[in-house]
Each structure stands twice: as C-alpha cells, then as structure tokens.
Amino acid sequence: MNVLKGLFLPLVIAAALFFPGMAASAGAAPKAVILATTTSTQDSGLLDVLIPLFEKESGYFVKTIAVGSGQAMAMGKKGEADVLLVHSPDAEKKFMAEGDGVNRRLIMHNDFVIVGPTSDPARIRGVKTSVDAVKRISQTGSLFLSRGDNSGTHAKEKGLWKAAGTSPEGQKWYQQTGLGMGQTLNVAAEKKGYTLTDRGTYLTLRKTLGLDILVEGDPLLLNIYHVIEVNPGRWPKVNTAGARAFADFLVSNKVQAIIGTFGIDKFGAPLFFPDAGKKPETLGL
C-alpha cells in the first residue's frame, strides 16, 4: 500500500501542475461575469482600475469584451453577455424598449471632441459648433477617419453628418477604419486626418498622436454612459446575480468617487464625471 501511495502522489502533483483546473475545482472557483463594453472604457484605462477592485471585493471574475456600443448591445440581444457598459443613448433606449435589458442606470459622462492635425486644412479650429466643423471638412474634402463600427462614437458622428445635411459615405475623403477608438486615433495620426473621439481616450494617447483638439464644448458632443443588465427573463442562463453585483458596484459611492478622480494625477483633470443617482434631464437626456 505504501508503495502504491508513493507512486500515486507524484501523479497527482503532476496532474495538478499540467491541469490546474483540476486543483481549482476542489475549491470554490470564481463565477465569471461577461461584461460587454465600449472600447473607450478600456482604452482610457478606467477598467484597469475598476475591475480588479470589483473582483477582489465580490469574488467574481470579469471577462471583458471591449467592442463598440452597438456590438455590445448585439451581444446582449443574443444573451452572449451578462451586463453592458455603453454610451449610445438612442440605441440603449431601443434595446430597453425591445425587452433585451433591465435596470438601465446612469453611470458617468465625459464629452466628444473633434481632433485633427495641427495644420488644420479644413480650418475648423475654434469653430463654435460641431455641425459647422463637419460641414467645413466635407466642403474642403479633408480626410476624415470614421470608426465605422456601429459604436456609440460612430452613432454620434453619423448624427453630426445628418445635422449638417451631408452624406459622406462613398466620398474619397471619408474613410472607415472598422476599429476601436484608440486604433482609429492612431490611424488618424498616421494619415494626418480628422476624427471624432471621446476625450478620455484622446487624453490617454495624446502624447503619441500629434493631433490637436480643434472643436470642443458643443452640447451636442456630450458623451453619456449607462450600465444595463441583460434581461434574464429572455436569457435565463445569464449571470443575473453577477450582472447586478457589477452594476451595483458601479453606482456605489466608493466607485463613483474613483471615477470622479480618475485621470487627475496624470492629466490634471478627470477623464469622466460621475453621475449615478442624477436625473437624466440634468444631462440633457
């Protein structure tokens, strides 16, 4: 028997080394929460601060899928995510009206800005409205890089073109990257073109871009984020408890305070402004 034990024990240790999941199964493995979110929350670095804190406090493991808001909601519609953190208000309202989500809650806001090369060929620097800015870009045929990915940023951009009475699709000066915000900014920098970006991602990458903020402060450029739990009545397999825990975490006083100070040490100003508990009409919703 002792001989068998001596042979068996090394096999168990070897199995644990090569198959760590076997050892983990003996204890309580953390439950996964699938978060589908916009790339701006990832590219700005905010999630790098918030998610480890949530995992430590809750015992859940968060699987983050950073895509455009449109793609995040498409995942929610298929039951492929548990909770969404997105910034496309019109699409969010439709998502809720169609019964795909529950408990849509206001989290934070920042704003969009139009950035471009210092040379500013379309002469939009200091233009008061974003609509006038995109009109000038169109009229001068200046290169504009669009995310083209059905994200919240792309939705905002399309709204600007519509308000300007311009249809840029198919124009040589209008190029769609199909990429996230950080990558689109890098393409705009490389090609010396204009693009619409959330301020947080731009500030995070500013030193490497060589792009200037040319248009800002327009009320149309407000950028508002909500957390939405995927409807468990439609998708019973979603992690309802995990989704609720993550959403409650985001609106907590502690996390709202973290959001309100995130970026100050590096940029001298916060990248986001906390809004949990505020009435939507105070933000122009």
mmCIF file of all heavy atoms in Angstrom, residues 117-168:
data_model
loop_
_atom_site.group_PDB
_atom_site.id
_atom_site.type_symbol
_atom_site.label_atom_id
_atom_site.label_comp_id
_atom_site.label_asym_id
_atom_site.label_seq_id
_atom_site.Cartn_x
_atom_site.Cartn_y
_atom_site.Cartn_z
ATOM 1 N N PRO A 117 -4.949 67.265 -37.399
ATOM 2 C CA PRO A 117 -3.559 67.714 -37.465
ATOM 3 C C PRO A 117 -3.432 69.188 -37.133
ATOM 4 O O PRO A 117 -4.370 69.967 -37.345
ATOM 5 C CB PRO A 117 -3.178 67.428 -38.922
ATOM 6 C CG PRO A 117 -4.475 67.482 -39.665
ATOM 7 C CD PRO A 117 -5.499 66.916 -38.733
ATOM 8 N N THR A 118 -2.279 69.567 -36.635
ATOM 9 C CA THR A 118 -2.024 70.957 -36.268
ATOM 10 C C THR A 118 -2.215 71.892 -37.461
ATOM 11 O O THR A 118 -2.673 73.033 -37.304
ATOM 12 C CB THR A 118 -0.596 71.106 -35.712
ATOM 13 O OG1 THR A 118 -0.442 70.220 -34.597
ATOM 14 C CG2 THR A 118 -0.320 72.526 -35.256
ATOM 15 N N SER A 119 -1.908 71.405 -38.659
ATOM 16 C CA SER A 119 -2.052 72.231 -39.869
ATOM 17 C C SER A 119 -3.504 72.592 -40.163
ATOM 18 O O SER A 119 -3.781 73.599 -40.817
ATOM 19 C CB SER A 119 -1.457 71.502 -41.078
ATOM 20 O OG SER A 119 -2.120 70.253 -41.282
ATOM 21 N N ASP A 120 -4.454 71.765 -39.695
ATOM 22 C CA ASP A 120 -5.893 72.035 -39.784
ATOM 23 C C ASP A 120 -6.320 72.515 -41.187
ATOM 24 O O ASP A 120 -6.779 73.650 -41.364
ATOM 25 C CB ASP A 120 -6.270 73.091 -38.739
ATOM 26 C CG ASP A 120 -7.776 73.308 -38.624
ATOM 27 O OD1 ASP A 120 -8.541 72.429 -39.040
ATOM 28 O OD2 ASP A 120 -8.171 74.376 -38.112
ATOM 29 N N PRO A 121 -6.213 71.649 -42.192
ATOM 30 C CA PRO A 121 -6.521 72.066 -43.568
ATOM 31 C C PRO A 121 -7.952 72.542 -43.778
ATOM 32 O O PRO A 121 -8.201 73.367 -44.668
ATOM 33 C CB PRO A 121 -6.234 70.804 -44.392
ATOM 34 C CG PRO A 121 -6.297 69.668 -43.415
ATOM 35 C CD PRO A 121 -5.785 70.238 -42.129
ATOM 36 N N ALA A 122 -8.900 72.060 -42.980
ATOM 37 C CA ALA A 122 -10.296 72.481 -43.142
ATOM 38 C C ALA A 122 -10.615 73.756 -42.365
ATOM 39 O O ALA A 122 -11.731 74.280 -42.452
ATOM 40 C CB ALA A 122 -11.237 71.359 -42.702
ATOM 41 N N ARG A 123 -9.637 74.245 -41.590
ATOM 42 C CA ARG A 123 -9.805 75.470 -40.805
ATOM 43 C C ARG A 123 -11.019 75.395 -39.855
ATOM 44 O O ARG A 123 -11.884 76.265 -39.846
ATOM 45 C CB ARG A 123 -9.952 76.694 -41.732
ATOM 46 C CG ARG A 123 -8.762 76.942 -42.641
ATOM 47 C CD ARG A 123 -7.562 77.402 -41.809
ATOM 48 N NE ARG A 123 -6.407 77.735 -42.636
ATOM 49 C CZ ARG A 123 -5.425 76.884 -42.972
ATOM 50 N NH1 ARG A 123 -5.470 75.631 -42.533
ATOM 51 N NH2 ARG A 123 -4.413 77.277 -43.706
ATOM 52 N N ILE A 124 -11.030 74.333 -39.049
ATOM 53 C CA ILE A 124 -12.147 74.178 -38.109
ATOM 54 C C ILE A 124 -11.769 74.585 -36.688
ATOM 55 O O ILE A 124 -12.628 74.595 -35.802
ATOM 56 C CB ILE A 124 -12.685 72.729 -38.093
ATOM 57 C CG1 ILE A 124 -11.616 71.764 -37.542
ATOM 58 C CG2 ILE A 124 -13.164 72.312 -39.477
ATOM 59 C CD1 ILE A 124 -12.161 70.366 -37.248
ATOM 60 N N ARG A 125 -10.519 74.901 -36.447
ATOM 61 C CA ARG A 125 -10.087 75.231 -35.101
ATOM 62 C C ARG A 125 -10.913 76.403 -34.545
ATOM 63 O O ARG A 125 -10.996 77.466 -35.164
ATOM 64 C CB ARG A 125 -8.609 75.612 -35.080
ATOM 65 C CG ARG A 125 -8.042 75.790 -33.662
ATOM 66 C CD ARG A 125 -6.620 76.325 -33.698
ATOM 67 N NE ARG A 125 -5.720 75.447 -34.420
ATOM 68 C CZ ARG A 125 -5.063 74.419 -33.876
ATOM 69 N NH1 ARG A 125 -5.231 74.143 -32.587
ATOM 70 N NH2 ARG A 125 -4.255 73.680 -34.609
ATOM 71 N N GLY A 126 -11.535 76.173 -33.395
ATOM 72 C CA GLY A 126 -12.301 77.226 -32.748
ATOM 73 C C GLY A 126 -13.706 77.430 -33.281
ATOM 74 O O GLY A 126 -14.443 78.287 -32.779
ATOM 75 N N VAL A 127 -14.113 76.632 -34.283
ATOM 76 C CA VAL A 127 -15.489 76.724 -34.776
ATOM 77 C C VAL A 127 -16.436 76.396 -33.619
ATOM 78 O O VAL A 127 -16.199 75.470 -32.846
ATOM 79 C CB VAL A 127 -15.707 75.752 -35.956
ATOM 80 C CG1 VAL A 127 -17.183 75.635 -36.296
ATOM 81 C CG2 VAL A 127 -14.935 76.223 -37.172
ATOM 82 N N LYS A 128 -17.507 77.151 -33.476
ATOM 83 C CA LYS A 128 -18.363 77.023 -32.291
ATOM 84 C C LYS A 128 -19.172 75.727 -32.243
ATOM 85 O O LYS A 128 -19.435 75.204 -31.161
ATOM 86 C CB LYS A 128 -19.294 78.230 -32.187
ATOM 87 C CG LYS A 128 -18.560 79.523 -31.839
ATOM 88 C CD LYS A 128 -19.532 80.673 -31.635
ATOM 89 C CE LYS A 128 -18.796 81.951 -31.243
ATOM 90 N NZ LYS A 128 -19.731 83.084 -31.035
ATOM 91 N N THR A 129 -19.616 75.234 -33.394
ATOM 92 C CA THR A 129 -20.449 74.033 -33.368
ATOM 93 C C THR A 129 -19.799 72.905 -34.146
ATOM 94 O O THR A 129 -19.108 73.126 -35.147
ATOM 95 C CB THR A 129 -21.847 74.293 -33.956
ATOM 96 O OG1 THR A 129 -21.760 74.403 -35.380
ATOM 97 C CG2 THR A 129 -22.456 75.559 -33.378
ATOM 98 N N SER A 130 -20.049 71.695 -33.674
ATOM 99 C CA SER A 130 -19.502 70.514 -34.332
ATOM 100 C C SER A 130 -20.129 70.316 -35.708
ATOM 101 O O SER A 130 -19.485 69.782 -36.620
ATOM 102 C CB SER A 130 -19.741 69.284 -33.454
ATOM 103 O OG SER A 130 -21.094 69.205 -33.048
ATOM 104 N N VAL A 131 -21.372 70.747 -35.872
ATOM 105 C CA VAL A 131 -22.037 70.623 -37.174
ATOM 106 C C VAL A 131 -21.337 71.500 -38.210
ATOM 107 O O VAL A 131 -21.082 71.070 -39.342
ATOM 108 C CB VAL A 131 -23.533 70.988 -37.062
ATOM 109 C CG1 VAL A 131 -24.181 71.062 -38.444
ATOM 110 C CG2 VAL A 131 -24.262 69.958 -36.187
ATOM 111 N N ASP A 132 -21.012 72.734 -37.828
ATOM 112 C CA ASP A 132 -20.274 73.613 -38.743
ATOM 113 C C ASP A 132 -18.906 73.021 -39.071
ATOM 114 O O ASP A 132 -18.413 73.150 -40.197
ATOM 115 C CB ASP A 132 -20.103 75.001 -38.128
ATOM 116 C CG ASP A 132 -21.383 75.818 -38.145
ATOM 117 O OD1 ASP A 132 -22.286 75.476 -38.943
ATOM 118 O OD2 ASP A 132 -21.491 76.787 -37.364
ATOM 119 N N ALA A 133 -18.298 72.371 -38.109
ATOM 120 C CA ALA A 133 -16.977 71.783 -38.320
ATOM 121 C C ALA A 133 -17.026 70.676 -39.371
ATOM 122 O O ALA A 133 -16.189 70.637 -40.282
ATOM 123 C CB ALA A 133 -16.427 71.239 -37.005
ATOM 124 N N VAL A 134 -18.000 69.766 -39.246
ATOM 125 C CA VAL A 134 -18.042 68.675 -40.224
ATOM 126 C C VAL A 134 -18.467 69.194 -41.608
ATOM 127 O O VAL A 134 -18.053 68.633 -42.636
ATOM 128 C CB VAL A 134 -18.955 67.514 -39.760
ATOM 129 C CG1 VAL A 134 -18.415 66.890 -38.477
ATOM 130 C CG2 VAL A 134 -20.406 67.937 -39.590
ATOM 131 N N LYS A 135 -19.252 70.262 -41.645
ATOM 132 C CA LYS A 135 -19.576 70.886 -42.933
ATOM 133 C C LYS A 135 -18.306 71.363 -43.631
ATOM 134 O O LYS A 135 -18.116 71.151 -44.832
ATOM 135 C CB LYS A 135 -20.519 72.083 -42.729
ATOM 136 C CG LYS A 135 -21.979 71.743 -42.586
ATOM 137 C CD LYS A 135 -22.807 73.025 -42.453
ATOM 138 C CE LYS A 135 -24.284 72.721 -42.281
ATOM 139 N NZ LYS A 135 -25.078 73.964 -42.097
ATOM 140 N N ARG A 136 -17.429 71.990 -42.879
ATOM 141 C CA ARG A 136 -16.184 72.500 -43.454
ATOM 142 C C ARG A 136 -15.287 71.359 -43.920
ATOM 143 O O ARG A 136 -14.628 71.445 -44.956
ATOM 144 C CB ARG A 136 -15.433 73.360 -42.435
ATOM 145 C CG ARG A 136 -16.085 74.699 -42.161
ATOM 146 C CD ARG A 136 -15.128 75.617 -41.418
ATOM 147 N NE ARG A 136 -15.772 76.856 -41.022
ATOM 148 C CZ ARG A 136 -15.139 77.877 -40.462
ATOM 149 N NH1 ARG A 136 -13.835 77.800 -40.221
ATOM 150 N NH2 ARG A 136 -15.786 78.987 -40.126
ATOM 151 N N ILE A 137 -15.243 70.294 -43.145
ATOM 152 C CA ILE A 137 -14.443 69.131 -43.534
ATOM 153 C C ILE A 137 -14.958 68.572 -44.850
ATOM 154 O O ILE A 137 -14.185 68.245 -45.763
ATOM 155 C CB ILE A 137 -14.473 68.061 -42.426
ATOM 156 C CG1 ILE A 137 -13.704 68.559 -41.195
ATOM 157 C CG2 ILE A 137 -13.902 66.739 -42.914
ATOM 158 C CD1 ILE A 137 -13.847 67.686 -39.969
ATOM 159 N N SER A 138 -16.278 68.475 -44.971
ATOM 160 C CA SER A 138 -16.900 67.985 -46.201
ATOM 161 C C SER A 138 -16.627 68.914 -47.380
ATOM 162 O O SER A 138 -16.239 68.476 -48.464
ATOM 163 C CB SER A 138 -18.411 67.836 -45.987
ATOM 164 O OG SER A 138 -19.071 67.545 -47.199
ATOM 165 N N GLN A 139 -16.825 70.211 -47.173
ATOM 166 C CA GLN A 139 -16.669 71.187 -48.261
ATOM 167 C C GLN A 139 -15.240 71.262 -48.783
ATOM 168 O O GLN A 139 -15.019 71.510 -49.976
ATOM 169 C CB GLN A 139 -17.133 72.565 -47.777
ATOM 170 C CG GLN A 139 -18.636 72.662 -47.567
ATOM 171 C CD GLN A 139 -19.051 73.898 -46.783
ATOM 172 O OE1 GLN A 139 -18.202 74.644 -46.275
ATOM 173 N NE2 GLN A 139 -20.358 74.123 -46.662
ATOM 174 N N THR A 140 -14.279 71.044 -47.895
ATOM 175 C CA THR A 140 -12.875 71.113 -48.305
ATOM 176 C C THR A 140 -12.321 69.755 -48.721
ATOM 177 O O THR A 140 -11.176 69.662 -49.180
ATOM 178 C CB THR A 140 -12.006 71.680 -47.168
ATOM 179 O OG1 THR A 140 -12.157 70.843 -46.002
ATOM 180 C CG2 THR A 140 -12.415 73.108 -46.832
ATOM 181 N N GLY A 141 -13.115 68.701 -48.549
ATOM 182 C CA GLY A 141 -12.652 67.358 -48.905
ATOM 183 C C GLY A 141 -11.473 66.906 -48.066
ATOM 184 O O GLY A 141 -10.616 66.138 -48.518
ATOM 185 N N SER A 142 -11.429 67.362 -46.825
ATOM 186 C CA SER A 142 -10.324 66.997 -45.932
ATOM 187 C C SER A 142 -10.543 65.595 -45.357
ATOM 188 O O SER A 142 -11.675 65.196 -45.071
ATOM 189 C CB SER A 142 -10.213 68.018 -44.798
ATOM 190 O OG SER A 142 -9.976 69.316 -45.306
ATOM 191 N N LEU A 143 -9.464 64.866 -45.192
ATOM 192 C CA LEU A 143 -9.555 63.477 -44.754
ATOM 193 C C LEU A 143 -10.195 63.350 -43.375
ATOM 194 O O LEU A 143 -9.779 64.015 -42.428
ATOM 195 C CB LEU A 143 -8.158 62.855 -44.721
ATOM 196 C CG LEU A 143 -8.088 61.390 -44.276
ATOM 197 C CD1 LEU A 143 -8.846 60.489 -45.243
ATOM 198 C CD2 LEU A 143 -6.627 60.942 -44.169
ATOM 199 N N PHE A 144 -11.198 62.484 -43.292
ATOM 200 C CA PHE A 144 -11.862 62.205 -42.019
ATOM 201 C C PHE A 144 -11.867 60.699 -41.817
ATOM 202 O O PHE A 144 -12.276 59.935 -42.702
ATOM 203 C CB PHE A 144 -13.304 62.729 -42.016
ATOM 204 C CG PHE A 144 -13.983 62.603 -40.674
ATOM 205 C CD1 PHE A 144 -13.972 63.646 -39.758
ATOM 206 C CD2 PHE A 144 -14.624 61.419 -40.311
ATOM 207 C CE1 PHE A 144 -14.577 63.527 -38.516
ATOM 208 C CE2 PHE A 144 -15.233 61.277 -39.071
ATOM 209 C CZ PHE A 144 -15.214 62.331 -38.173
ATOM 210 N N LEU A 145 -11.419 60.285 -40.631
ATOM 211 C CA LEU A 145 -11.399 58.862 -40.284
ATOM 212 C C LEU A 145 -12.573 58.551 -39.361
ATOM 213 O O LEU A 145 -12.686 59.131 -38.276
ATOM 214 C CB LEU A 145 -10.088 58.488 -39.595
ATOM 215 C CG LEU A 145 -8.831 58.315 -40.453
ATOM 216 C CD1 LEU A 145 -9.043 57.287 -41.548
ATOM 217 C CD2 LEU A 145 -8.352 59.629 -41.018
ATOM 218 N N SER A 146 -13.434 57.653 -39.817
ATOM 219 C CA SER A 146 -14.588 57.226 -39.026
ATOM 220 C C SER A 146 -14.337 55.837 -38.468
ATOM 221 O O SER A 146 -13.710 55.001 -39.130
ATOM 222 C CB SER A 146 -15.833 57.199 -39.909
ATOM 223 O OG SER A 146 -16.908 56.542 -39.258
ATOM 224 N N ARG A 147 -14.834 55.583 -37.262
ATOM 225 C CA ARG A 147 -14.726 54.221 -36.735
ATOM 226 C C ARG A 147 -15.534 53.245 -37.592
ATOM 227 O O ARG A 147 -15.121 52.114 -37.788
ATOM 228 C CB ARG A 147 -15.198 54.173 -35.278
ATOM 229 C CG ARG A 147 -14.163 54.716 -34.325
ATOM 230 C CD ARG A 147 -14.621 54.701 -32.885
ATOM 231 N NE ARG A 147 -15.002 53.374 -32.412
ATOM 232 C CZ ARG A 147 -15.230 53.085 -31.143
ATOM 233 N NH1 ARG A 147 -15.104 54.030 -30.228
ATOM 234 N NH2 ARG A 147 -15.567 51.867 -30.783
ATOM 235 N N GLY A 148 -16.688 53.664 -38.066
ATOM 236 C CA GLY A 148 -17.473 52.813 -38.949
ATOM 237 C C GLY A 148 -17.843 51.473 -38.350
ATOM 238 O O GLY A 148 -17.955 50.478 -39.068
ATOM 239 N N ASP A 149 -18.049 51.432 -37.029
ATOM 240 C CA ASP A 149 -18.246 50.147 -36.352
ATOM 241 C C ASP A 149 -19.550 50.068 -35.561
ATOM 242 O O ASP A 149 -19.711 49.189 -34.727
ATOM 243 C CB ASP A 149 -17.066 49.876 -35.411
ATOM 244 C CG ASP A 149 -16.938 50.923 -34.309
ATOM 245 O OD1 ASP A 149 -17.650 51.947 -34.355
ATOM 246 O OD2 ASP A 149 -16.114 50.717 -33.391
ATOM 247 N N ASN A 150 -20.457 50.989 -35.812
ATOM 248 C CA ASN A 150 -21.750 50.999 -35.119
ATOM 249 C C ASN A 150 -21.583 51.189 -33.606
ATOM 250 O O ASN A 150 -22.411 50.732 -32.822
ATOM 251 C CB ASN A 150 -22.532 49.709 -35.406
ATOM 252 C CG ASN A 150 -24.010 49.845 -35.080
ATOM 253 O OD1 ASN A 150 -24.588 50.924 -35.224
ATOM 254 N ND2 ASN A 150 -24.634 48.775 -34.635
ATOM 255 N N SER A 151 -20.514 51.845 -33.221
ATOM 256 C CA SER A 151 -20.274 52.141 -31.806
ATOM 257 C C SER A 151 -21.046 53.393 -31.404
ATOM 258 O O SER A 151 -21.650 54.066 -32.240
ATOM 259 C CB SER A 151 -18.773 52.383 -31.593
ATOM 260 O OG SER A 151 -18.344 53.497 -32.379
ATOM 261 N N GLY A 152 -20.986 53.728 -30.117
ATOM 262 C CA GLY A 152 -21.613 54.961 -29.671
ATOM 263 C C GLY A 152 -20.972 56.177 -30.318
ATOM 264 O O GLY A 152 -21.651 57.152 -30.665
ATOM 265 N N THR A 153 -19.657 56.128 -30.494
ATOM 266 C CA THR A 153 -18.941 57.223 -31.149
ATOM 267 C C THR A 153 -19.371 57.344 -32.605
ATOM 268 O O THR A 153 -19.602 58.443 -33.116
ATOM 269 C CB THR A 153 -17.418 56.995 -31.064
ATOM 270 O OG1 THR A 153 -17.056 56.812 -29.696
ATOM 271 C CG2 THR A 153 -16.655 58.173 -31.652
ATOM 272 N N HIS A 154 -19.490 56.211 -33.267
ATOM 273 C CA HIS A 154 -19.921 56.215 -34.673
ATOM 274 C C HIS A 154 -21.346 56.750 -34.797
ATOM 275 O O HIS A 154 -21.662 57.523 -35.710
ATOM 276 C CB HIS A 154 -19.823 54.797 -35.243
ATOM 277 C CG HIS A 154 -20.095 54.699 -36.700
ATOM 278 N ND1 HIS A 154 -20.672 53.580 -37.274
ATOM 279 C CD2 HIS A 154 -19.924 55.587 -37.720
ATOM 280 C CE1 HIS A 154 -20.811 53.780 -38.572
ATOM 281 N NE2 HIS A 154 -20.359 54.985 -38.868
ATOM 282 N N ALA A 155 -22.208 56.372 -33.858
ATOM 283 C CA ALA A 155 -23.591 56.864 -33.874
ATOM 284 C C ALA A 155 -23.621 58.381 -33.704
ATOM 285 O O ALA A 155 -24.385 59.085 -34.385
ATOM 286 C CB ALA A 155 -24.407 56.191 -32.775
ATOM 287 N N LYS A 156 -22.792 58.900 -32.787
ATOM 288 C CA LYS A 156 -22.720 60.342 -32.592
ATOM 289 C C LYS A 156 -22.217 61.029 -33.861
ATOM 290 O O LYS A 156 -22.768 62.059 -34.281
ATOM 291 C CB LYS A 156 -21.786 60.656 -31.423
ATOM 292 C CG LYS A 156 -21.524 62.140 -31.192
ATOM 293 C CD LYS A 156 -22.780 62.895 -30.772
ATOM 294 C CE LYS A 156 -23.225 62.516 -29.379
ATOM 295 N NZ LYS A 156 -24.345 63.374 -28.893
ATOM 296 N N GLU A 157 -21.202 60.466 -34.468
ATOM 297 C CA GLU A 157 -20.649 61.036 -35.694
ATOM 298 C C GLU A 157 -21.700 61.072 -36.813
ATOM 299 O O GLU A 157 -21.852 62.084 -37.516
ATOM 300 C CB GLU A 157 -19.431 60.212 -36.132
ATOM 301 C CG GLU A 157 -18.800 60.683 -37.433
ATOM 302 C CD GLU A 157 -18.361 59.536 -38.305
ATOM 303 O OE1 GLU A 157 -17.719 58.594 -37.799
ATOM 304 O OE2 GLU A 157 -18.662 59.571 -39.508
ATOM 305 N N LYS A 158 -22.420 59.986 -36.985
ATOM 306 C CA LYS A 158 -23.454 59.950 -38.037
ATOM 307 C C LYS A 158 -24.524 61.005 -37.786
ATOM 308 O O LYS A 158 -25.052 61.599 -38.728
ATOM 309 C CB LYS A 158 -24.083 58.548 -38.108
ATOM 310 C CG LYS A 158 -23.155 57.493 -38.687
ATOM 311 C CD LYS A 158 -23.864 56.184 -38.989
ATOM 312 C CE LYS A 158 -24.297 55.470 -37.745
ATOM 313 N NZ LYS A 158 -24.885 54.126 -38.048
ATOM 314 N N GLY A 159 -24.825 61.248 -36.500
ATOM 315 C CA GLY A 159 -25.785 62.294 -36.170
ATOM 316 C C GLY A 159 -25.298 63.671 -36.577
ATOM 317 O O GLY A 159 -26.090 64.523 -37.001
ATOM 318 N N LEU A 160 -23.986 63.898 -36.474
ATOM 319 C CA LEU A 160 -23.421 65.190 -36.881
ATOM 320 C C LEU A 160 -23.523 65.388 -38.389
ATOM 321 O O LEU A 160 -23.891 66.467 -38.864
ATOM 322 C CB LEU A 160 -21.954 65.292 -36.443
ATOM 323 C CG LEU A 160 -21.675 65.281 -34.935
ATOM 324 C CD1 LEU A 160 -20.174 65.383 -34.682
ATOM 325 C CD2 LEU A 160 -22.415 66.417 -34.236
ATOM 326 N N TRP A 161 -23.196 64.349 -39.155
ATOM 327 C CA TRP A 161 -23.306 64.456 -40.619
ATOM 328 C C TRP A 161 -24.755 64.710 -41.029
ATOM 329 O O TRP A 161 -25.030 65.528 -41.924
ATOM 330 C CB TRP A 161 -22.795 63.189 -41.295
ATOM 331 C CG TRP A 161 -21.337 62.921 -41.126
ATOM 332 C CD1 TRP A 161 -20.762 61.844 -40.509
ATOM 333 C CD2 TRP A 161 -20.243 63.739 -41.576
ATOM 334 N NE1 TRP A 161 -19.398 61.937 -40.538
ATOM 335 C CE2 TRP A 161 -19.037 63.089 -41.200
ATOM 336 C CE3 TRP A 161 -20.167 64.949 -42.261
ATOM 337 C CZ2 TRP A 161 -17.788 63.609 -41.490
ATOM 338 C CZ3 TRP A 161 -18.904 65.472 -42.544
ATOM 339 C CH2 TRP A 161 -17.742 64.810 -42.163
ATOM 340 N N LYS A 162 -25.675 64.019 -40.378
ATOM 341 C CA LYS A 162 -27.093 64.195 -40.702
ATOM 342 C C LYS A 162 -27.535 65.625 -40.409
ATOM 343 O O LYS A 162 -28.224 66.260 -41.216
ATOM 344 C CB LYS A 162 -27.943 63.202 -39.900
ATOM 345 C CG LYS A 162 -29.434 63.262 -40.237
ATOM 346 C CD LYS A 162 -30.203 62.201 -39.459
ATOM 347 C CE LYS A 162 -31.692 62.256 -39.801
ATOM 348 N NZ LYS A 162 -32.456 61.223 -39.034
ATOM 349 N N ALA A 163 -27.118 66.152 -39.248
ATOM 350 C CA ALA A 163 -27.477 67.521 -38.881
ATOM 351 C C ALA A 163 -26.855 68.533 -39.836
ATOM 352 O O ALA A 163 -27.415 69.616 -40.063
ATOM 353 C CB ALA A 163 -27.023 67.809 -37.448
ATOM 354 N N ALA A 164 -25.719 68.163 -40.408
ATOM 355 C CA ALA A 164 -25.041 69.053 -41.357
ATOM 356 C C ALA A 164 -25.597 68.929 -42.772
ATOM 357 O O ALA A 164 -25.200 69.678 -43.667
ATOM 358 C CB ALA A 164 -23.548 68.749 -41.368
ATOM 359 N N GLY A 165 -26.532 67.977 -42.974
ATOM 360 C CA GLY A 165 -27.104 67.778 -44.305
ATOM 361 C C GLY A 165 -26.106 67.202 -45.286
ATOM 362 O O GLY A 165 -26.180 67.445 -46.496
ATOM 363 N N THR A 166 -25.162 66.411 -44.764
ATOM 364 C CA THR A 166 -24.097 65.847 -45.589
ATOM 365 C C THR A 166 -24.093 64.329 -45.496
ATOM 366 O O THR A 166 -24.288 63.762 -44.424
ATOM 367 C CB THR A 166 -22.718 66.377 -45.110
ATOM 368 O OG1 THR A 166 -22.709 67.791 -45.233
ATOM 369 C CG2 THR A 166 -21.585 65.802 -45.936
ATOM 370 N N SER A 167 -23.865 63.670 -46.624
ATOM 371 C CA SER A 167 -23.748 62.217 -46.642
ATOM 372 C C SER A 167 -22.338 61.849 -47.113
ATOM 373 O O SER A 167 -22.047 61.875 -48.307
ATOM 374 C CB SER A 167 -24.784 61.600 -47.589
ATOM 375 O OG SER A 167 -24.665 60.189 -47.602
ATOM 376 N N PRO A 168 -21.452 61.530 -46.168
ATOM 377 C CA PRO A 168 -20.051 61.300 -46.537
ATOM 378 C C PRO A 168 -19.762 59.917 -47.117
ATOM 379 O O PRO A 168 -18.685 59.694 -47.682
ATOM 380 C CB PRO A 168 -19.326 61.478 -45.207
ATOM 381 C CG PRO A 168 -20.312 61.003 -44.190
ATOM 382 C CD PRO A 168 -21.656 61.433 -44.717
#
